[in-house]
Amino acid sequence: MHRGRITVSGLALVAALGLAGCGGGSSGDEGGAHSQAPALAMNPAVVRTSDSPLGTVLMDGGGRTLYLFTADGKNTNSMDCDAACLKLWPPVEGKPKAGDGVDAGLIGTTDGAVRAQVTYAGHPLYYYAADRAAGDVKGQGIDGVWFALDAKGAAIKKAAPAASATQDGGNGGFGY
């Protein structure tokens, strides 16, 4: 009986330490995007258009700008992205409805994904983690491969105004 208690106590300790490792903490980037206010909540329930410093762009229901990765295949998330990359460029997942300014026939999801990733005009959609307020376009043009989309699903290639420029700490947008 005593041995069973030790085993249970040991398992509880291991579980507690594992959970502690998942908690927040400093990333060592004290002056970068991590020291800003928390990111705007993701709300993929609706894909809509809204005005931004780039003009009219696709956004989610909460006003977060949606981006495409130019190297993704049509209707598939072919981006080779590790955990750091996914933290910076999280996919838009779920099954949204068409909101104002979008063509419902252009909304879809990726094929064969564990979780369905939202697509628009065949482009898998992503958020940019450093977008902190509704209408931010800080991910625009990063590495020449990340772009906001217009209502037709085309990449908007114009540069973001200086006030909306990327603040990724000079690390090329991939977080490493």
Side-chain angles (χ1 to χ4, degrees):
M1 202 77 157
H2 187 314
R3 186 176 187 165
R5 286 186 194 161
I6 292 173
T7 302
V8 170
S9 297
L11 289 174
L13 178 61
V14 169
L17 289 173
L19 289 174
C22 293
S26 175
S27 65
D29 183 18
E30 300 303 324
H34 300 286
S35 62
Q36 298 175 5
L40 186 64
M42 295 176 199
N43 181 2
V46 174
V47 173
R48 63 184 176 91
T49 60
S50 189
D51 291 330
S52 80
L54 300 172
T56 302
V57 300
L58 286 187
M59 293 191 178
D60 75 357
R64 286 196 67 163
T65 302
L66 304 176
Y67 297 91
L68 65 80
F69 176 60
T70 58
D72 269 341
K74 196 150 184 115
N75 293 317
T76 181
N77 178 350
S78 57
M79 182 174 63
D80 184 15
C81 197
D82 63 12
C85 171
L86 285 172
K87 186 174 181 181
L88 196 58
W89 295 101
V92 179
E93 296 174 327
K95 187 154 179 87
K97 297 177 183 175
D100 292 339
V102 300
D103 179 345
L106 296 178
I107 296 174
T109 57
T110 54
D111 297 328
V114 173
R115 289 186 177 171
Q117 183 174 356
V118 177
T119 62
Y120 192 78
H123 302 288
L125 301 177
Y126 301 86
Y127 294 106
Y128 181 55
D131 283 351
R132 301 288 178 187
D136 277 357
V137 290
K138 295 176 182 172
Q140 177 65 8
I142 289 184
D143 294 331
V145 296
W146 293 99
F147 298 99
L149 295 84
D150 65 18
K152 294 179 181 177
I156 298 171
K157 298 284 182 126
K158 90 183 219 185
S164 300
T166 307
Q167 298 176 5
D168 64 4
N171 58 17
F174 288 106
Y176 48 81

